[in-house]
Amino acid sequence: MRNDLGPLFSPFACGPLVLANRFVMSPMTRQFSPGGVPGENVAAYYARRAAAGVGLIITEGVGVDHPAAIGHGSMGEHDIPVLHGHGALSGWRRVVDGVHAVGGKIMPQLWHMGGIRQEGTPPHPQAPSLDPYNVTDEDIVAVIAAFARSAANAKAVGFDGVALHGAHGYLIDSFLWAATNTCNDAWGGDILRRTRFATEVVQAVRTAVGPGFPIVFRLSQWKLQDYEARLAETPEQLAVITDSLSEAGVDIFDVSTRVFSTPAFAGSEMGLAGWVRRLSGKAVITVGGIGFDRELAASFAQPTLAIDNLDEVVRRFTAGEFDLVALGRALLMDAEWVNKAREGKPFAPFDLSAYARLD
Ligand SMILES: Cc1cc2nc3c(=O)[nH]c(=O)nc-3n(C[C@H](O)[C@H](O)[C@H](O)COP(=O)(O)O)c2cc1C
């Protein structure tokens, strides 16, 4: 084993959640679940990564039990899984059992696409897409209840916790972000009111799963609609969001950045995960650009190399910036990535064709 990576191979505990190491599989939509049901291929895909040393898997985004939660997304996504109905629940039970059988841990990422969902697309083409400016109080109540139901289902099928997609401009984030939440009512206005929807989702999920069941919340400054967007211009604004969500029941923040080492605010080299950890006192996950010389968006358009940038990960981990380290593309393209890092072996090359496969 590479001695310098020792800290990343130390165990992690958060309440009842105990992980063998600090590596997390970042949520990645894969579009291999026709009818919303994950099959044997999806179960094998996750089990392969758990068996190859990934401490925690956060699944692809999973549509919550609300008609407008999913559809085709801005990139034409389809065949996205759900977490309700007999078929999907049996499918997920197989996924969870497969991961547990090899000693791994797994949580589903609960997702409502909000305004990014394309109107008129399945599974419920007649359901209008939801944005902060067009939702009714009735819609809000229904969506919050949907998150709670899906979280309860996650617990019932044996997942080790639940992760909420509060990032990238989807429904929860569209309430947090001033550019999409232009309401001036109970759900919008200042940053505290923009956080209310997210907070109520977390509270309802906490009530549904009870104490001691880990809740992970993903947030991001960047949005699919605008990579330069900012939820918070200052640490003080960020603290309004993280305080409110922590109080509502979040245990771990999954801090989505395009490049994990980018300084979040002027005057400090600390990344966004470090700020969330400092402000909230909660455990945090960092993500973005680990294992590659280009970040996600650039890697679609420009030649990209698999690299070893774990020195910088260890340096920031040791400095106390984050507790857990998530990998997206690295684990999509190389199921053995974590074991290879541990042994100092070369990683599989960057390969766009891997997006179309589930191996
Ligand atoms: C194919 C693909 C699908 C993704 N789907 C999701 C998703 O469903 N939910 C989410 O929060 N992020 C999603 N992401 C973003 C990743 O979780 C991760 O934050 C991003 O890829 C940056 O990490 P990386 O540089 O290690 O790839 C996706 C990324 C990829 C490559």
Side-chain angles (χ1 to χ4, degrees), residues 156-245:
V157 300
F159 278 108
D160 300 289
V162 71
L164 306 176
H165 197 339
H168 305 171
Y170 293 105
L171 186 67
I172 293 178
D173 196 23
S174 70
F175 276 88
L176 293 173
W177 186 28
T180 38
N181 186 347
T182 51
C183 308
N184 193 6
D185 58 15
W187 305 99
D190 62 14
I191 196 160
L192 184 61
R193 278 188 287 168
R194 291 199 304 273
T195 309
R196 180 174 166 205
F197 177 69
T199 303
E200 294 212 4
V201 169
V202 174
Q203 282 169 346
V205 166
R206 174 55 75 209
T207 303
V209 297
F213 191 72
I215 299 177
V216 175
F217 188 96
R218 174 166 264 208
L219 55 78
S220 67
Q221 298 269 42
W222 71 271
K223 318 296 167 204
L224 280 169
Q225 306 93 321
D226 179 0
Y227 286 154
E228 304 310 319
R230 287 167 82 76
L231 274 189
E233 292 294 343
T234 61
E236 291 70 29
Q237 290 178 354
L238 184 60
V240 173
I241 299 172
T242 56
D243 283 355
S244 185
L245 294 174

Side-chain angles (χ1 to χ4, degrees), residues 10 31 44 54 83 146 180 187 199 204 207 214 233 249 278 289 305 345:
S10 61
Q31 312 178 71
V54 176
L83 194 41
T180 38
W187 305 99
T199 303
T207 303
E233 292 294 343
R278 179 185 288 181
L305 291 175
K345 292 186 180 155

Side-chain angles (χ1 to χ4, degrees), residues 6-63:
L8 301 180
F9 284 96
S10 61
F12 167 84
C14 177
L17 180 72
V18 179
L19 307 179
N21 61 47
R22 307 304 178 117
F23 288 102
V24 176
M25 182 170 178
S26 203
M28 281 178 289
T29 291
R30 297 311 319 275
Q31 312 178 71
F32 283 95
S33 297
V37 177
E40 292 294 348
N41 54 344
V42 174
Y45 161 80
Y46 287 121
R48 203 173 295 129
R49 282 147 180 87
V54 176
L56 171 66
I57 290 169
I58 301 182
T59 71
E60 60 207 285
V62 176

Side-chain angles (χ1 to χ4, degrees), residues 279-296:
L279 294 167
S280 69
K282 297 289 177 185
V284 301
I285 305 174
T286 195
V287 68
I290 297 166
F292 298 105
D293 69 340
R294 291 195 198 284
E295 55 81 42
L296 175 61

